Each structure stands twice: as structure tokens, then as C-alpha cells.
Amino acid sequence: KSNFFFMGPSNLSMDSPYCLRMKPLLKKITEMIIMSGHNIGFHPGYATYNNATEFEVQKEYLENIVKLQLTDGRQHVIRYDCILTPTIWDKSGMKHDYSLFYPDEIGFRNGSCRPYQSYDLINRKKLQLLQTSTAITEFSLLDPRYNNFSIQDALDNCDTVIKNVVKFNGKLVILFHTHQTNGPKWIFYNKLIAQLSAQL
């Protein structure tokens, strides 16, 4: 079961405009995903990580298109403020945040392979929002900007992460950008799923 995270409305160059320009297609795709048994989530845009108003505008606009209350998601391009972002998410009714990962490494950026409650550092209290590291990302391993591994080396690097998740009964989160349905990253993703199936 996969989570597909979609952006809300934004005209910023760092964000995608499909929510504004392709509403019928967006609605059709999200309906197909739900019918296939997968989940729809929110991918807050570039300016939302420290702006509760912009976060809420984008979320509500997207929810009105997909006709769902969205509770899971991931911040765009890892823009994250540990003081502000979790409280924005929590107040907006979000339940699960998969934002934290390393762009140039795999592993557990928040220190654990298990979900745990986020924390409000200003008011010193636990939030309802769950936090889970995204441990494996395809571009961290294969992108020339970062490690530029071969497919096999990338898979070998994932093995330690997978074994730790199994050992500590954790949750393995993999990020894959779905526009890459051919080429090395698609081959890597399918081999990684096969590797997981053999170990779990």
C-alpha cells in the first residue's frame, strides 16, 4: 500500500502548478489511486513550512478537489523548521509526517525507524502528529548530484537499513518520485521491492 502525496495551489517556481491548471486530471488520478487501494496525502509547497496560513490554504484547496480529508504527507524539498512545522501540521489536523530524510544519504534522520509523537518545543508538550523518517530515497542513491551509485551498489546500501527496521520492528518508508517509470531509478525501485519481499 502506497501513499501518493499531491501539492495544493501555488504559483511559486519551486512548486508544481497542476492543482491550479489540471484540476480534472488531478481528480481523475486521485480517484484511480483510491480505487486501487492506495492512499492520498498532502505535499505542502515551498512556502508552507513556516506559514500556517499558506499551509491551510493549500490543504483546503486540495481537499476540495479530491473530496477527502488529508491527514498524511511530506514537506516539499525538506523545508522544515523543528519549532514551527510540527505545530502547523498538528493544528491543521494532520496525523502523520514523513518529511524528514537526508537528500544525500539513506537512514533515519529523526533518529528512529519507529513512528513517534512530534513535540511542541515552545509549549513543551507532545503533539498528536506522528513522525516517521523516510529512510530510503531513490535520488539520494542514484542521482549524480549525490552518490551516483550503480543499481547494485544502491541496493547493497539499503540492506543495512532494511535489517535495522526488521530487527527493531520499525516502519520502512521509501520515497520514489512517480514520474520515473523507466530508466535506472525505476529498475532500482522494482528490485528494491523484490529485495524487501524476500526479507520481510
Side-chain angles (χ1 to χ4, degrees), residues 73-75 80 89 95-99 129-132:
R74 177 178 69 82
Q75 281 292 145
Y80 197 89
W89 278 60
K95 301 299 183 188
H96 212 136
D97 180 11
Y98 300 96
S99 294
L129 177 71
L130 290 175
Q131 185 84 55
T132 304

Side-chain angles (χ1 to χ4, degrees), residues 65-81:
I65 292 175
V66 301
K67 305 301 181 191
L68 290 170
Q69 183 180 3
L70 304 176
T71 59
D72 296 354
R74 177 178 69 82
Q75 281 292 145
H76 188 37
V77 293
I78 335 175
R79 297 201 91 200
Y80 197 89
D81 182 319

Side-chain angles (χ1 to χ4, degrees), residues 78-127:
I78 335 175
R79 297 201 91 200
Y80 197 89
D81 182 319
C82 64
I83 295 173
L84 297 175
T85 310
T87 58
I88 290 171
W89 278 60
D90 193 71
K91 287 177 181 176
S92 186
M94 298 294 285
K95 301 299 183 188
H96 212 136
D97 180 11
Y98 300 96
S99 294
L100 295 182
F101 66 92
Y102 298 106
D104 55 348
E105 296 288 345
I106 59 174
F108 309 104
R109 187 168 183 172
N110 61 10
S112 176
C113 64
R114 295 174 177 164
Y116 60 83
Q117 284 178 266
S118 295
Y119 195 73
D120 182 339
L121 290 168
I122 294 175
N123 296 303
R124 300 294 177 181
K125 65 177 184 178
K126 286 194 295 185
L127 302 172

Side-chain angles (χ1 to χ4, degrees), residues 12 31 44 78 93 100 119 136-137 154 173 194:
L12 293 180
E31 287 172 350
I78 335 175
L100 295 182
Y119 195 73
I136 297 173
T137 64
V173 180

